[in-house]
Amino acid sequence: MRQRNRSGQAGSTEVDLVLFGALGDLAQRKLFPALYHLEREGLLDPATRLLGLARQGHDLDGFRCRVEKSLEARVKTQELDRETLARFLARLDFLPLDFTCPEGYGAIREWRRHASRPMVVYLSVAARIYGDICRHLDTSGCLDDTSRVVVEKPIGYDLASSAGINDAIAAAFPESRVYRIDHYLGKETVQNLIALRFANPLFGTQWNQNHISHVEITVAEEVGIEGRWGYFDDAGQLRDMVQNHLLQLVCLIAMDPPANLDADAIRDEKVKVLKALKPFTDDMLGRDVVRGQYTAGSIDGKAVPGYLEEEGANTKSHTESFVAMKTGVANWRWAGVPFYLRTGKRMPEKLSQIVIHFRQQPHYIFDPDQRDLAANKLVIRLQPEEGIALEVLTKDSGLDKGMRLRRGPLHLDFNSAFPKTRIPDAYERLLLEVMKGQQYLFVRRDEVEHAWQWCDNLIAAWEEHDEPPRRYPAGSWGPVASIAMITQDGRSWYEDY
């Protein structure tokens, strides 16, 4: 790899951010609003520049106009400051580029000719061309020993394709300068999960199989395919959501305390969890895993089509839009503790939450009819409103209640607790950390590959049995079998309590 020695100040946000796919949905919907808010908060170095790259022809004024309209549509009116907007738009530059044609990359080198700051390359494009872009950046002399690259999930379709993509990236960028984004890791609540576990003895001493009976994670989406049929029907919900988002949450819940908050200390512990995930055997497949596919139904009183009725659908598709599973982590901390995971499209609401179910007291002295209440639950909600609630039991009020129990939350709602503080979007935090050169919120290569290895085992078992997914009506919580899966253990999904 060609390199030019340059010094990048640690923790500084003075960079040249080069965005491939600057006219795409992710850039317009998430990245530019996040960068605008960093500008508004004064977190972008005055010298930082932003270069947008796209295949379509555009002049600079047209590109800035496009970004301005996107921000006006997506940033809240009270947060859209015209002076800040003008300052942000002045940072933008634009170059049309065919990403697969090496001859055009000289324009990026020329744009960087007199720059002494690090270059951050953000690949907001299909993963199949990550390798082409990295190779062309390298051979055209655009890179030096401070250049960084940011890549979006999904990284591959399985372990083999993931390894191929990562090999291509590694040929131009060392692992220490590769930033693999999982936007869930940038959420405020996920950050608080680390603080909650490791800064509070109340939870630190209870976070094991002696005190926790089971864990459930739900990531539910109201939306269907939304024009992504070509991608999603090849991928399915397991590859699209479980392999990255849900397994990352499992890692953060189950990992042992890291030696410190350094990136590799945290990621080493996450890898240990992925290695310890129990694989699925044939006898577990029908009992502990449920695949589903939504049929026509209604959400918020509006009729919605089934998966096979979506525009462009393959009417014979067996791709799953829902997955529920029971798994576990085979180590001393979590021996015998089941992890119930569930994710799907066309659910009743948009919801991402973790529920930690603590064990009941060994000796119960209250009303026998209320025994099912007698366990604490820690509810960690990631969306739509981020917050943490600990459900505790207290005596019900009233002279006629005796020692009847009631369940109530000790609740930390971030919007209520910090009414004057705007909760940043995950991409704001992630972009800020990559500009500072800090990797602790990003996924290391071995994490990706161990997650794929575990998922590939399950996918291979599905393909061998070749059973179609179970149907569930849009607007429900998935197939009835997913309820049976957890009730066979004498438990219920959280919303059923």
Side-chain angles (χ1 to χ4, degrees), residues 232-497:
F232 187 84
D233 198 55
D234 285 337
Q237 197 74 355
L238 182 75
R239 291 183 174 98
D240 191 45
M241 296 296 291
V242 176
Q243 188 273 335
N244 40 77
H245 297 329
L246 271 76
L247 289 188
Q248 282 295 314
L249 295 179
V250 169
C251 288
L252 290 171
I253 295 165
M255 73 181 192
D256 283 339
N260 50 52
L261 291 178
D262 289 345
D264 280 332
I266 293 174
R267 296 189 292 187
D268 286 346
E269 297 302 330
K270 287 161 66 181
V271 167
K272 291 177 185 177
V273 174
L274 292 168
K275 288 181 176 180
L277 280 177
K278 293 181 178 179
F280 289 100
T281 58
D282 283 347
D283 63 308
M284 297 165 62
L285 202 60
R287 184 184 69 235
D288 296 341
V289 184
V290 178
R291 298 172 69 222
Q293 188 184 88
Y294 63 85
T295 58
S298 65
I299 296 178
D300 292 334
K302 297 180 180 178
V304 295
Y307 183 80
L308 301 181
E309 300 162 354
E310 296 277 8
E311 184 178 353
N314 167 16
T315 57
K316 296 181 179 179
S317 173
H318 284 180
T319 297
E320 79 284 351
S321 62
F322 174 95
V323 181
M325 63 181 66
K326 171 187 172 183
T327 187
V329 180
N331 61 20
W332 285 102
R333 180 183 289 272
W334 297 106
V337 178
F339 282 65
Y340 299 95
L341 314 182
R342 177 178 59 166
T343 179
K345 295 188 180 300
R346 294 297 192 199
M347 301 277 99
E349 60 180 307
K350 180 179 180 179
L351 174 69
S352 295
Q353 72 180 15
I354 302 161
V355 185
I356 310 295
H357 295 259
F358 291 93
R359 295 190 185 278
Q360 295 185 0
Q361 293 279 33
H363 179 57
Y364 180 77
I365 61 175
F366 298 93
D367 187 341
D369 293 338
Q370 291 191 297
R371 191 178 183 93
D372 62 334
L373 293 179
N376 300 130
K377 298 175 184 64
L378 180 66
V379 181
I380 303 160
R381 180 165 289 198
L382 309 181
Q383 60 182 17
E385 296 89 18
E386 296 190 54
I388 298 170
L390 177 63
E391 292 193 354
V392 298
L393 298 174
T394 58
K395 176 190 172 299
D396 203 357
S397 299
L399 295 174
D400 60 337
K401 303 295 185 180
M403 283 301 291
R404 294 283 296 177
L405 301 176
R406 65 183 297 274
R407 179 189 293 146
L410 300 177
H411 194 204
L412 172 59
D413 179 284
F414 292 163
N415 290 321
S416 300
F418 309 106
K420 296 183 180 179
T421 303
R422 189 182 66 87
I423 304 302
D425 180 78
Y427 276 97
E428 294 173 44
R429 183 182 302 279
L430 294 170
L431 283 165
L432 182 63
E433 297 304 320
V434 74
M435 286 189 283
K436 291 179 176 179
Q438 298 177 357
Q439 283 193 310
Y440 75 106
L441 295 181
F442 299 86
V443 182
R444 203 168 61 190
R445 174 173 180 165
D446 53 350
E447 291 181 71
V448 175
E449 295 184 348
H450 281 295
W452 270 125
Q453 185 175 2
W454 186 79
C455 287
D456 283 356
N457 168 267
L458 178 54
I459 292 168
W462 282 346
E463 292 175 348
E464 182 179 346
H465 287 77
D466 194 28
E467 293 183 3
R470 300 171 186 266
R471 308 300 185 207
Y472 65 96
S476 71
W477 284 104
V480 173
S482 67
I483 300 172
M485 182 193 73
I486 193 169
T487 56
Q488 70 186 357
D489 296 335
R491 300 181 174 115
S492 301
W493 294 106
Y494 179 71
E495 78 276 353
D496 292 333
Y497 277 93

Side-chain angles (χ1 to χ4, degrees), residues 64-297:
R64 288 176 173 173
C65 182
R66 173 81 172 265
V67 174
E68 181 177 14
K69 289 180 179 178
S70 182
L71 292 174
E72 288 173 343
R74 291 173 172 85
V75 175
K76 293 179 180 179
T77 303
Q78 64 270 28
E79 296 172 355
L80 193 64
D81 175 72
R82 286 294 162 182
E83 182 178 341
T84 302
L85 180 60
R87 190 169 65 249
F88 175 70
L89 293 174
R91 294 181 185 271
L92 301 184
D93 211 338
F94 180 80
L95 288 172
L97 181 67
D98 181 347
F99 302 157
T100 61
C101 182
E103 289 76 16
Y105 283 71
I108 301 175
R109 186 182 64 247
E110 185 64 26
W111 184 77
R112 288 266 299 162
R113 177 182 290 274
H114 301 296
S116 59
R117 60 187 70 87
M119 178 172 67
V120 174
V121 177
Y122 198 118
L123 302 185
S124 180
V125 296
R128 65 178 180 275
I129 60 173
Y130 285 174
D132 289 338
I133 293 174
C134 291
R135 182 170 62 256
H136 298 332
L137 285 168
D138 186 20
T139 57
S140 64
C142 293
L143 305 180
D144 59 48
D145 59 1
T146 67
S147 302
R148 307 162 199 159
V149 66
V150 186
V151 294
E152 283 277 349
K153 69 93 179 173
I155 301 173
Y157 180 81
D158 53 18
L159 177 59
S161 60
S162 174
I165 293 170
N166 279 315
D167 285 344
I169 295 171
F173 295 89
E175 182 65 27
S176 62
R177 292 192 271 116
V178 179
Y179 294 73
R180 296 176 188 83
I181 275 193
D182 184 328
H183 73 269
Y184 270 46
L185 299 184
K187 290 182 175 293
E188 192 77 12
T189 313
V190 173
Q191 299 300 294
N192 267 289
L193 179 56
I194 295 175
L196 186 79
R197 285 196 56 193
F198 303 129
N200 294 285
L202 171 66
F203 294 114
T205 58
Q206 306 290 305
W207 212 264
N208 55 53
Q209 83 284 3
N210 294 323
H211 303 284
I212 293 175
S213 70
H214 63 288
V215 176
E216 67 175 276
I217 302 175
T218 295
V219 177
E221 303 173 276
E222 280 187 312
V223 298
I225 302 306
E226 291 194 310
R228 299 169 67 223
W229 178 270
Y231 159 73
F232 187 84
D233 198 55
D234 285 337
Q237 197 74 355
L238 182 75
R239 291 183 174 98
D240 191 45
M241 296 296 291
V242 176
Q243 188 273 335
N244 40 77
H245 297 329
L246 271 76
L247 289 188
Q248 282 295 314
L249 295 179
V250 169
C251 288
L252 290 171
I253 295 165
M255 73 181 192
D256 283 339
N260 50 52
L261 291 178
D262 289 345
D264 280 332
I266 293 174
R267 296 189 292 187
D268 286 346
E269 297 302 330
K270 287 161 66 181
V271 167
K272 291 177 185 177
V273 174
L274 292 168
K275 288 181 176 180
L277 280 177
K278 293 181 178 179
F280 289 100
T281 58
D282 283 347
D283 63 308
M284 297 165 62
L285 202 60
R287 184 184 69 235
D288 296 341
V289 184
V290 178
R291 298 172 69 222
Q293 188 184 88
Y294 63 85
T295 58

